[in-house]
Amino acid sequence: MRFFFKTAGFLIGFLSICLFPSLIYPLNLWPLLTYESDNETKTIELLGPFVFWQKSEEGLEWGIRPLFSFKNDGYERLDILYPLGGVKKEEGLSEGYFFPFLNFEENRFFSLFTLYWGKSEEGEAYCGLFPLLGKIKDRFRRDEIDFVLWPLYTRVIDEGSTTYKILWPFFKLYKGKTEGVDIFPLWGHRVSERADKGFALWPFYVWQDEKFMEAHFSLRLYFPFYASFKTPKYESFFLFPPFLHHKRFKEGQERWELWPFLAFDDKEQKIFPLFRKKETPKEKSLWFLWPLYTYEYTEVSETKMQKERFMLIGVRKKETFDDEEKVDVFNLWPLFSISKENNKEEFLFPFLIPIKNEGFKRNLLPIFTLISCKSKGQKADFNILWGLFRFKKDPKISHWRIGFFIDRKFTPHTSRLRLLGGIISLRKEDDKVKLKLFDLF
């Protein structure tokens, strides 16, 4: 019980600091507790990188890594044991999951293990217990799905067509806008307004004729000897598909390919793994002794993107918009990552897990990072060993510390030196030096 009350008291004290950060001054009791504040950001860290609270112009973040974290910056996001679970609330609607047990969308869908219930976009209720019995509406890009003892029986309704599946994937019956029967792998044939598809002794003979607007597409596969694919722009022929491939364009160009080793046409030349070069008006790519070096360039509207790889462990990415550099990244796994994005620069060491999405950066990345350096404009933050050495500066203040042993702060008119968390403090202001004991705040 004593341990319980001590722990509860500790958490209550920490939460009090979190709820009323504006009532205290910067505090350095590293590694137990640090609190820092400037005009834009207030930060609390407890036990190094594991417990954190931060409030800035961008919003509020707090959590206990790697158990959970919360973020509110226009929408609310709660991660639980990232990436296993999460809850997101945006525009008044909540959705969340905890793999593999729970999944829900507020007022739309809820599932617990394989038991689920929900409502369609028109408000029609449905429920089920997979794989025994159930109905689903407006999910998985289908209007309606019914099943009994799946895969024994399933009915799928979508865009005016109904598909009955019995002992999937062996028997299918199509009704409505699409008509036909599949008896897999012996024979199958279905016809719709846009397409005529079928097979016999799949995959030995497969055909498909499809119409999209005024364009016609045709596929024939005689496995394993021959295949053809015809479109309005080109015709392709395969011998022993997919290995030997010949493509002839309507304009007269030709392409020869011995997959995956050789490819030749007016845009691409490839001898895998020695060399590859491909160039179009909007794209370029180059290999040399793959995977020793690869280069890719893509242009979409006013955005230009470049990516270079070295032995699959080194990556350099650049992105410009309207000829202005927006992104510049260099990662050398597992050593370090250097990135510059929209006037923000960042250095991380080591870079053990090459992931930088929002959830990973908030929940796990700080635990694996021993050295970090972040800057934006005239602001900089340098951190070694989760705050053992910390240096921060902005146009008005520069501040560095080594644990709670030494703490040095400079402003345009004052300076301060604190030892042992402030047990001894020297302040200089207007050429006057003051000695103070127990200057903890």
Side-chain angles (χ1 to χ4, degrees), residues 18 115 186 351:
C18 293
L115 174 66
L186 301 178
F351 193 50

Side-chain angles (χ1 to χ4, degrees), residues 10 49 77 105 177 297 302 359 364:
F10 176 77
R77 171 80 188 194
E105 295 178 20
K177 290 185 176 181
Y297 171 85
E302 300 299 322
L364 296 174

Side-chain angles (χ1 to χ4, degrees), residues 36 372-375 379-383 390-393:
E36 297 177 348
S372 69
C373 182
K374 302 177 183 180
S375 64
K379 300 181 65 174
D381 186 345
F382 182 67
N383 189 336
R390 192 79 177 261
F391 172 76
K392 299 181 72 173
K393 74 170 185 176

Side-chain angles (χ1 to χ4, degrees), residues 2-157:
R2 288 184 178 179
F3 175 77
F4 172 79
F5 284 117
K6 288 181 179 179
T7 304
F10 176 77
L11 292 175
I12 290 172
F14 172 66
L15 291 175
S16 298
I17 294 174
C18 293
L19 292 172
F20 306 105
S22 61
L23 301 180
I24 68 172
Y25 295 96
L27 177 65
N28 178 15
L29 297 176
W30 185 93
L32 298 178
L33 171 65
T34 60
Y35 171 76
E36 297 177 348
S37 176
D38 56 33
N39 295 331
E40 299 178 358
T41 305
K42 295 178 173 64
T43 304
I44 297 173
E45 293 179 346
L46 210 65
L47 302 176
F50 293 101
V51 183
F52 70 99
W53 181 97
Q54 179 173 293
K55 187 175 183 180
S56 65
E57 294 179 342
E58 297 178 353
L60 174 67
E61 297 182 23
W62 63 276
I64 301 178
R65 301 183 178 105
L67 300 180
F68 69 88
S69 73
F70 174 83
K71 181 176 182 178
N72 184 352
D73 62 349
Y75 71 91
E76 297 180 7
R77 171 80 188 194
L78 173 66
D79 290 303
I80 304 170
L81 292 176
Y82 177 88
L84 295 181
V87 179
K88 180 180 178 181
K89 185 175 183 180
E90 187 173 13
E91 297 179 354
L93 297 177
S94 299
E95 59 180 346
Y97 69 96
F98 192 86
F99 181 84
F101 313 109
L102 176 70
N103 186 17
F104 73 90
E105 295 178 20
E106 186 178 3
N107 300 323
R108 284 293 310 275
F109 182 79
F110 186 93
S111 69
L112 183 63
F113 292 97
T114 60
L115 174 66
Y116 67 88
W117 60 89
K119 292 183 179 180
S120 68
E121 294 180 357
E122 289 76 23
E124 299 176 90
Y126 62 85
C127 63
L129 178 61
F130 187 84
L132 300 180
L133 176 69
K135 180 190 293 288
I136 303 173
K137 288 179 173 286
D138 297 328
R139 291 189 69 81
F140 309 116
R141 298 183 179 181
R142 297 294 185 265
D143 296 334
E144 183 177 329
I145 301 175
D146 303 291
F147 61 88
V148 178
L149 297 176
W150 186 92
L152 180 62
Y153 172 80
T154 308
R155 184 184 69 165
V156 180
I157 301 175

Side-chain angles (χ1 to χ4, degrees), residues 321-424:
F321 177 77
D322 197 16
D323 294 327
E324 181 181 353
E325 186 177 89
K326 295 294 184 181
V327 178
D328 189 351
V329 177
F330 178 47
N331 299 333
L332 185 61
W333 178 85
L335 296 180
F336 62 83
S337 170
I338 303 174
S339 62
K340 179 180 180 182
E341 184 171 357
N342 297 329
N343 201 33
K344 294 182 180 180
E345 299 184 28
E346 181 180 64
F347 170 83
L348 302 174
F349 170 86
F351 193 50
L352 299 179
I353 303 177
I355 300 174
K356 278 193 173 182
N357 62 51
E358 177 187 342
F360 185 79
K361 290 179 71 172
R362 185 169 62 252
N363 290 275
L364 296 174
L365 185 59
I367 298 176
F368 300 114
T369 302
L370 302 182
I371 301 175
S372 69
C373 182
K374 302 177 183 180
S375 64
K376 181 180 180 181
Q378 299 182 20
K379 300 181 65 174
D381 186 345
F382 182 67
N383 189 336
I384 298 179
L385 291 176
W386 308 293
L388 174 61
F389 176 79
R390 192 79 177 261
F391 172 76
K392 299 181 72 173
K393 74 170 185 176
D394 60 35
K396 296 182 179 180
I397 299 174
S398 65
H399 175 209
W400 64 267
R401 69 168 190 255
I402 301 176
F404 75 100
F405 302 103
I406 302 176
D407 189 318
R408 197 81 164 97
K409 184 177 181 180
F410 298 90
T411 68
H413 304 290
T414 64
S415 65
R416 182 194 68 189
L417 170 64
R418 295 196 306 175
L419 303 177
L420 300 176
I423 295 178
I424 301 175

